[in-house]
Amino acid sequence: MSTTYGTRRLRRAAAPTGQVAALFKGFWSAFQEWRARRIVRATLLGLSDRELADIGTTRGEIDYVASQRSIVRQYRTTDRYDAGTLLLLLLCTALNFVPVYGAKAQCTAQDVLRNRLLLSTAAAAPDPQDPISSAADVPIWKTIAIGTFRDPVALRDAMSAMGCGVGNSAAELLARPAFTVSGNKADLDLVIVSAAQLGIQSETVPLRKMYAHAQRRGLGLAPAEVAPQLRLQYLDQPIGEFLIIAMEPIRTWSDDPVNLTVANGGAGLILIGQDGHDDSEVPAMSRFVFVRPHDNAPAEAALLHD
């Protein structure tokens, strides 16, 4: 009797603790979802009308796009991915079988869903929050290979074969003589950094200031080749994620400096161009991809001044 009574008391005592934990978990999930939507909205607001058109939306649709739960909950079944399609993809995964139509295409919205199932162990881009004082403080997010194509044409052909979208300004940049690929194969360690981590306390930040603060901490600018290579090697990018490549801009035929952004706006994986002027203001919540040099190598680019 006493044992039974004691067990019941323990259960009653544990119940409130479990409820508090569940309540806290619910609040934390809601906060994370709100924060993710806020980042998406800020990123979209930072794009030009042309760049928004590249990802299939308009400025008037930004609030609607950012409010959609599917941007945060990547596995939610929609009209496009009905239960039957999801079941088929899961079955294909279990049988280690990829449909014939996926032999080349990897960048459409349906391909991304399949890739997220097949590549379930792949590392997602982190949500940087902790301040950093040196490159060693930033964990490596992804290691990618460069120098794997003989020339830019072969690289563009590979993106086309995989069905990866390329925005107008990005396509122009990739065709410019200034865009080159490495003649030697190499692996680069990439990290994700936000302005807040670099001690920048403002709603927006000029590109030049962002780069200068990152380089002072030992991070390097990425070769332009990193952008299309990352697009090819990051096939399970979640919907609503925009990663700005920290790079020296390349000028278009009209002499406008352009940087590249690896994105998934919801219609599939795409590479888009973005304003690359030194004084171009980007939302402080934007996430940048830098190169973390190896311990025995200096940063790739010289320091910039504020």
Side-chain angles (χ1 to χ4, degrees):
M1 293 288 291
S2 61
T3 302
T4 301
Y5 178 72
T7 302
R8 288 177 178 173
R9 287 189 62 185
L10 287 174
R11 287 178 179 173
R12 285 199 299 268
T17 303
Q19 291 173 357
V20 170
L23 184 62
F24 175 79
K25 184 178 180 180
F27 279 130
W28 180 249
S29 297
F31 170 75
Q32 291 291 82
E33 184 169 327
W34 169 82
R35 191 171 188 275
R37 289 176 178 173
R38 189 179 176 207
I39 291 174
V40 170
R41 184 177 185 276
T43 302
L44 292 175
L45 286 173
L47 300 179
S48 68
D49 291 343
R50 181 179 178 182
E51 292 157 357
L52 289 171
D54 284 341
I55 61 173
T57 190
T58 64
R59 193 161 302 280
E61 296 173 328
I62 288 178
D63 286 337
Y64 172 78
V65 171
S67 69
Q68 296 307 294
R69 292 176 63 85
S70 58
I71 287 179
V72 179
R73 301 181 184 275
Q74 293 85 15
Y75 301 107
R76 185 184 181 193
T77 299
T78 65
D79 293 337
R80 190 166 188 175
Y81 307 128
D82 57 23
T85 301
L86 185 59
L87 180 60
L88 176 61
L89 291 172
L90 288 170
L91 180 60
C92 291
T93 303
L95 297 177
N96 195 26
F97 169 73
V98 178
V100 174
Y101 65 79
K104 290 185 177 180
Q106 296 287 322
C107 294
T108 67
Q110 189 168 358
D111 294 324
V112 174
L113 174 60
R114 183 176 64 253
N115 290 333
R116 290 191 68 80
L117 295 172
L118 292 172
L119 307 175
S120 58
T121 59
D127 186 7
Q129 299 180 41
D130 298 331
I132 61 173
S133 58
S134 70
D137 296 336
V138 192
I140 295 172
W141 164 59
K142 188 181 288 290
T143 299
I144 68 166
I146 63 171
T148 58
F149 294 94
R150 65 180 182 275
D151 54 43
V153 175
L155 178 54
R156 296 198 300 270
D157 288 345
M159 293 186 65
S160 177
M162 294 181 68
C164 295
V166 180
N168 292 331
S169 57
E172 185 176 342
L173 183 152
L174 295 179
R176 293 286 286 159
F179 178 82
T180 60
V181 297
S182 175
N184 300 311
K185 294 182 179 180
D187 291 333
L188 294 182
D189 295 331
L190 305 182
V191 298
I192 305 294
V193 175
S194 69
Q197 284 185 288
L198 301 176
I200 301 173
Q201 303 297 325
S202 59
E203 290 294 323
T204 61
V205 56
L207 277 179
R208 187 177 185 84
K209 183 176 182 179
M210 179 74 186
Y211 289 176
H213 279 250
Q215 290 175 307
R216 289 198 188 104
R217 290 160 174 79
L219 296 174
L221 297 184
E225 182 188 353
V226 164
Q229 287 280 16
L230 181 59
R231 179 65 293 154
L232 290 171
Q233 298 175 49
Y234 187 24
L235 298 176
D236 58 338
Q237 183 176 22
I239 294 174
E241 183 179 82
F242 293 77
L243 299 178
I244 302 172
I245 307 302
M247 55 178 277
E248 290 289 349
I250 293 178
R251 293 186 175 274
T252 63
W253 297 107
S254 58
D255 204 35
D256 293 321
V258 172
N259 289 337
L260 293 170
T261 296
V262 174
N264 182 352
L269 304 180
I270 190 171
L271 184 68
I272 61 176
Q274 198 162 346
D275 187 357
H277 285 93
D278 286 345
D279 57 355
S280 174
E281 297 276 344
V282 296
M285 292 184 296
S286 299
R287 294 187 291 175
F288 287 78
V289 176
F290 284 90
V291 172
R292 195 178 94 168
H294 298 137
D295 293 339
N296 59 347
E300 291 196 5
L303 292 179
L304 298 174
H305 300 289
D306 288 321

